Amino acid sequence: MFTEKRFPTKRPAGKNTAPRQYKSYNVKSPLGLEASVRHIKTIGPNRATLLERSYGIRTVRDFLYHFPYRYVDRTMTVKVADLHRWKPGVVKYITVAGRVEDVQCRALRNRDIKMMPFEITISDRTGKFLFTFFRPRYIVESFWMNHFRKGDLVAISARFEMVDGKLKYNDITYDRLFEGGMQFSTGGIIPLYSSTQQLQDKGMWSSNFRMLMRKVIPEYLYLFDEIFPSDILRRNNLILLSQAIQEMHFPISMDSIGRAHARLAFEELFFTELLLGMRKKKSLAIKGIPFKIKRTGFPKKLLSSLPFALTESQENVLREIMEDMKSETPMNRLLQGDVGSGKTVVALYAMLTAVENEYQCAFMAPTEILAEQHYKLLKLWLDELNVEITLLTGSQTQTERAEKLEQIVSGKAQIIVGTHALFQEKVAFAKLGFIVIDEQHRFGVMQRMKLKEKAAGELAPDILLMSATPIPRTLAMTVYGDMDVSTITELPKDRKPVITKIVARDKSKELKEFLVSQIKHGKQIYIVYPLIEESEKSDLRAAVDGYEKMRSETFAELKDRIGLLHGKMTSEQKDAVMEQFKNKKLDILVSTTVIEVGIDIPNATVIVIVNAERFGLAQIHQLRGRVGRGTEQSYCLLRTEDEANQRLIAVVRTNNGFEIAEEDLRLRGPGDFFGTRQSGLPEFRFVNFAEDKVLIEQAREEAFAILEEDPQFIFPEHQKIRLEFERKYKKLLDTSST
Ligand code: ADP
Ligand code: MG
């Protein structure tokens, strides 16, 4: 195999002999992957401490997993004369190799200037070229001036480009061509390692990492035992782990980096899926409530009292939910559906089925505004049915709360809507059997568990999680890998798609005219301001300033018909403003992102999002869902100076939340999707969720197949998987249970 040709690995005599013990770490000898990095020659205790502080690198294994952050492709080399003949318009990353003719550092008069020019002249048979780099003074003086000597063979790589008739170069890297007699680094792909200032101060530069890796890899590589049986490797076209580690550091081609990366990503995914699969299996072993599904009683009454018929998609997801409720294993289902797709009514139907079975239901929402709105809406629907519903939030008075708690514990309240207040210790239920969690990504695993623990008796409650943030399939398979997923795929038929437009800075006049004409037609408008910084204060500031300006300048004639809503208001204040807006006492509602979820006012047909480029796509899509709730044409106007913003263009192009989610994933990575739920999952270093779709499916299939075929990990070919699983997830397994 090519890897072994380049770096002959040293294997101890005999197949299964444990590495021998050596007294001194100066002897070139592996002590094992779990040995401290300080055993690597030249690292020692000081650097070891810094490595741990900077990157959490403690063991040799950790060290070998400190992979390059970038590679320089030095497979393209040119002659010095080619630099002098560089053509305008050509931008290329290339390498020149030659002998050092001269090195200089020009002392600068001002000692305060930290960077210092270091000049190096290189020559080959075709000519000479002078390069200038700027580096910190002390490093130039103490290192560069000594490092390069006349006559040394060196390679310099950079991106070259002709600018105003002068040859410019940037992205420079450089290396001596011989290190310890071994030809080094040119004509190949050079790994660059990240290093912190502290490590650099102790001489651990990218190039030092590279040199160390060169030495350490051949000594330790054989210790990376292959964990996967050969059929898994073959089926999924994976290279060996040891090969992958080698290729990550010293790839033979840019393509081989991809294969190494894929192998590491597969492994990461495989173990995550194994964890999820085990959780799922565990939850299947728990007994849940086998609800009797009656198409009579409350659920039926609900359907006949609705002013609309359910969409086909709503019917489908209800069928899936009813199957789960009927079964003896507890439901753990995620209901996905775009904003306005009608998840609430589906949840209500399911809750009424539980009520019909004489169980209590908890309906949890992430904010007070949303909880209150759900409460009001459900109350309206439930009034005719004679089902008792109550609301529990953090801002209620002591007496109010005591009364509510009494209703809950006595069983008088059948459906309890609430915020985080629901899973506080004092809340006790008479007979909780069904839990709905709206906007579930805003809650953590632990919070859900706390609520679950409040359920009645031996049988676990059914849980329905809801999300209006559609999540790309690749992510759903990992983030929600232990749940079942139902998706509402269509919007109710009477909806007109919201028209979305980017409105540039210089179109203020047109925007104002448009808004005024909408108001003249009796329509209402939201104007949303972004979070400026992390702090809530400045979030408030932008909205308040905007509000003041509108009242005094832009819409001075509407002065008293503009309202302000933000997170710092008490819930009574918020309520009062919302009531005013709802009752058309206000034409414009200026707001921070608190209106993101939950506000349902069909007469509001325009939403203006200020500094739209600061919002996530999913968030804009959510906000857009605040309009278009009636039968009138609605508009979402994105104010921005960045008209060419690709992300904004994506929201303009489509109203489909799933497409937007894919785009968000592609452009911003998976961070936004994980939310608090990530606490229950390991971190991903190698997976690219926008691109590794096939890999994710393969890893899931393999992991689930093993759990199916050998759940106890008894087969000999699964022993290494078991050990690795324990090694990787020991901490996670200790701290989390489902
Ligand atoms: P979301 O999925 O965003 O939570 P909601 O449940 O708030 O959506 O529903 C949005 C609006 O659509 C509500 O006013 C609801 O009454 C209405 N609705 C729900 N289902 C239908 C349907 N099948 N036909 C017409 N309107 C519906
Ligand atoms: Mg909703």
Side-chain angles (χ1 to χ4, degrees):
M1 211 165 293
F2 59 83
T3 50
E4 303 202 354
K5 222 187 287 160
R6 288 190 301 147
F7 295 108
T9 52
K10 300 187 179 78
R11 284 173 198 278
K15 242 190 182 162
N16 295 318
T17 40
R20 275 185 286 157
Q21 294 294 313
Y22 294 87
K23 283 208 188 79
S24 155
Y25 60 78
N26 282 333
V27 181
K28 220 164 85 179
S29 64
L31 295 165
L33 293 172
E34 311 313 326
S36 161
V37 267
R38 120 187 106 71
H39 295 299
I40 294 173
K41 201 173 167 187
T42 78
I43 288 191
N46 286 344
R47 287 174 167 189
T49 312
L50 283 178
L51 280 170
E52 172 158 12
R53 207 181 295 152
S54 311
Y55 296 109
I57 295 173
R58 260 184 259 171
T59 62
V60 175
R61 180 199 297 276
D62 297 339
F63 187 70
L64 291 175
Y65 267 79
H66 185 68
F67 291 123
Y69 68 95
R70 193 158 81 83
Y71 301 85
V72 177
D73 189 349
R74 282 203 190 135
T75 43
M76 268 251 296
T77 55
V78 302
K79 305 219 160 39
V80 168
D82 295 332
L83 296 181
H84 293 298
R85 292 195 283 260
W86 203 270
K87 291 202 178 67
V90 178
V91 184
K92 252 193 197 154
Y93 196 94
I94 51 102
T95 300
V96 271
R99 285 197 188 277
V100 176
E101 283 287 319
D102 190 22
V103 288
Q104 293 279 342
C105 64
R106 257 183 295 127
L108 294 177
R109 220 171 282 142
N110 185 351
R111 292 295 296 182
D112 294 338
I113 294 177
K114 297 228 166 55
M115 301 302 260
M116 183 177 211
F118 170 69
E119 297 176 343
I120 182 165
T121 310
I122 307 286
S123 72
D124 67 6
R125 279 179 291 112
T126 66
K128 281 186 194 176
F129 195 89
L130 169 74
F131 288 93
T132 309
F133 323 133
F134 284 82
R135 290 295 177 267
R137 165 190 298 278
Y138 71 100
I139 288 166
V140 170
E141 286 174 347
S142 66
F143 183 71
W144 291 113
M145 289 308 291
N146 305 320
H147 189 62
F148 293 104
R149 284 173 202 284
K150 194 167 156 57
D152 281 352
L153 262 177
V154 298
I156 294 184
S157 305
R159 189 177 313 284
F160 288 86
E161 180 180 12
M162 203 59 109
V163 180
D164 299 333
K166 267 181 114 177
L167 188 59
K168 299 269 183 209
Y169 39 91
N170 49 44
D171 244 354
I172 289 193
T173 59
Y174 31 88
D175 254 309
R176 291 150 59 95
L177 279 183
F178 289 87
E179 295 281 358
M182 176 165 62
Q183 166 142 35
F184 202 58
S185 335
T186 288
I189 293 167
I190 313 305
L192 301 184
Y193 295 87
S194 61
S195 182
T196 57
Q197 191 57 55
Q198 281 180 316
L199 277 164
Q200 291 178 11
D201 290 347
K202 289 268 177 274
M204 289 283 282
W205 296 75
S206 174
S207 56
N208 301 90
F209 272 101
R210 183 156 69 234
M211 274 188 297
L212 274 171
M213 292 296 176
R214 278 272 188 220
K215 274 175 44 192
V216 176
I217 289 175
E219 288 173 30
Y220 285 87
L221 201 58
Y222 77 94
L223 290 171
F224 284 94
D225 234 353
E226 185 48 54
I227 4 179
F228 293 120
S230 54
D231 57 330
I232 291 191
L233 295 176
R234 197 163 2 90
R235 265 200 301 272
N236 302 290
N237 197 16
L238 300 171
I239 60 174
L240 295 170
L241 176 60
S242 53
Q243 208 178 336
I245 288 173
Q246 159 107 44
E247 287 296 309
M248 285 296 283
H249 291 288
F250 301 108
I252 50 164
S253 71
M254 290 309 252
D255 287 345
S256 77
I257 302 170
R259 296 217 301 156
H261 216 267
R263 152 72 209 218
L264 296 170
F266 179 92
E267 190 171 320
E268 207 165 57
L269 287 161
F270 175 88
F271 285 103
T272 307
E273 294 297 339
L274 210 55
L275 183 72
L276 291 164
M278 285 161 99
R279 277 193 196 161
K280 190 163 183 179
K281 262 190 126 72
K282 212 162 129 194
S283 70
L284 290 181
I286 298 170
K287 277 236 174 334
I289 307 161
F291 292 101
K292 292 204 181 62
I293 308 302
K294 290 182 254 174
R295 294 256 166 193
T296 56
F298 294 136
K300 179 151 183 235
K301 279 188 209 152
L302 172 70
L303 290 189
S304 55
S305 74
L306 288 178
F308 49 77
L310 295 184
T311 62
E312 205 170 301
S313 204
Q314 283 171 317
E315 297 269 8
N316 289 341
V317 299
L318 257 182
R319 211 167 300 128
E320 290 168 345
I321 291 168
M322 291 300 124
E323 279 307 311
D324 280 2
M325 290 184 75
K326 208 158 62 179
S327 119
E328 281 201 357
T329 43
M331 170 162 83
N332 190 26
R333 186 172 285 277
L334 174 71
L335 176 58
Q336 286 199 106
D338 224 330
V339 248
S341 60
K343 293 183 291 295
T344 320
V345 83
V346 170
L348 181 58
Y349 186 97
M351 287 196 288
L352 288 174
T353 304
V355 170
E356 194 61 41
N357 281 262
E358 294 175 0
Y359 278 94
Q360 283 175 303
C361 303
F363 190 128
M364 189 157 75
T367 62
E368 297 225 342
I369 288 199
L370 188 56
E372 281 160 28
Q373 179 158 316
H374 276 317
Y375 170 72
K376 282 179 192 152
L377 188 71
L378 294 183
K379 194 165 167 56
L380 214 69
W381 277 337
L382 293 176
D383 241 14
E384 289 178 33
L385 306 189
N386 248 329
V387 171
E388 277 298 324
I389 178 166
T390 194
L391 175 69
L392 193 76
T393 65
S395 64
Q396 287 161 339
T397 63
Q398 287 289 340
T399 31
E400 245 181 318
R401 158 161 300 218
E403 188 190 321
K404 308 255 168 177
L405 291 180
E406 171 55 30
Q407 292 172 352
I408 300 170
V409 75
S410 69
K412 181 164 177 282
Q414 291 163 294
I415 292 178
I416 301 100
V417 180
T419 55
H420 296 72
L422 271 182
F423 48 69
Q424 281 165 0
E425 253 169 61
K426 292 202 189 97
V427 187
F429 291 82
K431 202 181 173 195
L432 178 63
F434 196 86
I435 297 172
V436 179
I437 299 182
D438 198 15
E439 301 298 329
Q440 64 83 31
H441 57 281
R442 301 248 194 135
F443 295 94
V445 186
M446 299 314 285
Q447 299 178 312
R448 293 209 305 256
M449 300 218 324
K450 274 196 197 150
L451 191 52
K452 229 156 99 176
E453 281 160 11
K454 294 186 182 291
E458 302 284 281
L459 303 177
D462 277 4
I463 300 192
L464 182 66
L465 302 145
M466 304 206 288
S467 174
T469 310
I471 180 163
R473 226 181 88 73
T474 52
L475 273 173
M477 270 188 288
T478 37
V479 186
Y480 303 136
D482 54 348
M483 299 181 205
D484 299 303
V485 179
S486 292
T487 307
I488 303 183
T489 53
E490 59 183 335
L491 294 183
K493 299 212 169 40
D494 55 350
R495 301 282 161 76
K496 278 205 188 79
V498 177
I499 293 175
T500 306
K501 285 213 162 94
I502 293 178
V503 182
R505 239 319 114 88
D506 58 356
K507 292 282 187 298
S508 294
K509 199 164 148 258
E510 287 87 338
L511 177 65
K512 184 186 164 184
E513 280 164 13
F514 176 74
L515 296 181
V516 168
S517 80
Q518 287 284 311
I519 293 170
K520 283 215 175 96
H521 283 94
K523 299 290 179 284
Q524 290 165 287
I525 291 157
Y526 296 110
I527 299 183
V528 183
Y529 283 84
L531 211 77
I532 302 260
E533 271 147 29
E534 288 300 299
S535 92
E536 259 184 73
K537 237 194 200 143
S538 48
D539 165 23
L540 194 61
R541 202 64 256 158
V544 173
D545 288 350
Y547 169 71
E548 298 295 353
K549 184 155 177 248
M550 268 177 249
R551 279 167 53 100
S552 59
E553 291 174 33
T554 330
F555 296 104
E557 66 281 8
L558 294 171
K559 195 166 183 294
D560 300 319
R561 301 202 38 98
I562 304 177
L564 176 67
L565 189 74
H566 59 72
K568 278 274 146 73
M569 293 160 65
T570 66
S571 77
E572 287 91 58
Q573 288 172 321
K574 282 187 251 178
D575 249 9
V577 176
M578 282 317 300
E579 280 306 310
Q580 282 183 305
F581 193 59
K582 217 167 203 163
N583 300 331
K584 303 192 188 171
K585 297 268 186 320
L586 300 173
D587 296 317
I588 298 177
L589 183 62
V590 179
S591 165
T592 61
T593 50
V594 292
I595 65 148
E596 184 183 346
V597 283
I599 283 169
D600 189 15
I601 295 170
N603 192 53
T605 54
V606 183
I607 185 162
V608 180
I609 301 178
V610 181
N611 287 122
E613 73 284 349
R614 301 212 176 136
F615 290 82
L617 293 190
Q619 208 179 9
I620 294 180
H621 184 63
Q622 283 276 340
L623 287 167
R624 175 164 65 184
R626 296 306 114 210
V627 297
R629 301 181 81 85
T631 46
E632 301 285 335
Q633 180 60 60
S634 295
Y635 302 87
C636 172
L637 305 175
L638 309 173
R639 284 289 267 164
T640 182
E641 279 169 83
D642 186 7
E643 281 170 82
N645 189 306
Q646 287 308 310
R647 296 171 45 239
L648 296 183
I649 290 169
V651 204
V652 172
R653 201 181 56 227
T654 177
N655 267 308
N656 180 321
F658 278 93
E659 276 175 38
I660 289 169
E662 294 279 353
E663 193 72 7
D664 222 6
L665 175 63
R666 206 171 59 73
L667 296 169
R668 297 222 302 187
D672 291 354
F673 295 98
F674 279 105
T676 39
R677 207 188 129 80
Q678 197 180 14
S679 52
L681 281 181
E683 274 179 49
F684 295 97
R685 268 183 78 187
F686 304 105
V687 184
N688 177 342
F689 284 95
E691 283 169 12
D692 292 339
K693 185 157 185 260
V694 176
L695 210 59
I696 295 168
E697 278 163 6
Q698 286 173 330
R700 183 174 177 86
E701 222 163 87
E702 294 290 356
F704 277 59
I706 288 180
L707 287 175
E708 198 50 46
E709 171 187 277
D710 181 19
Q712 305 297 327
F713 294 90
I714 293 165
F715 298 177
E717 69 266 34
H718 296 155
Q719 291 318 300
K720 285 182 188 147
I721 293 178
R722 180 176 62 80
L723 289 172
E724 183 65 9
F725 186 79
E726 285 165 4
R727 194 186 69 75
K728 273 196 159 89
Y729 295 148
K730 186 153 188 336
K731 263 197 235 116
L732 269 179
L733 290 176
D734 290 347
T735 53
S736 79
S737 55
T738 308

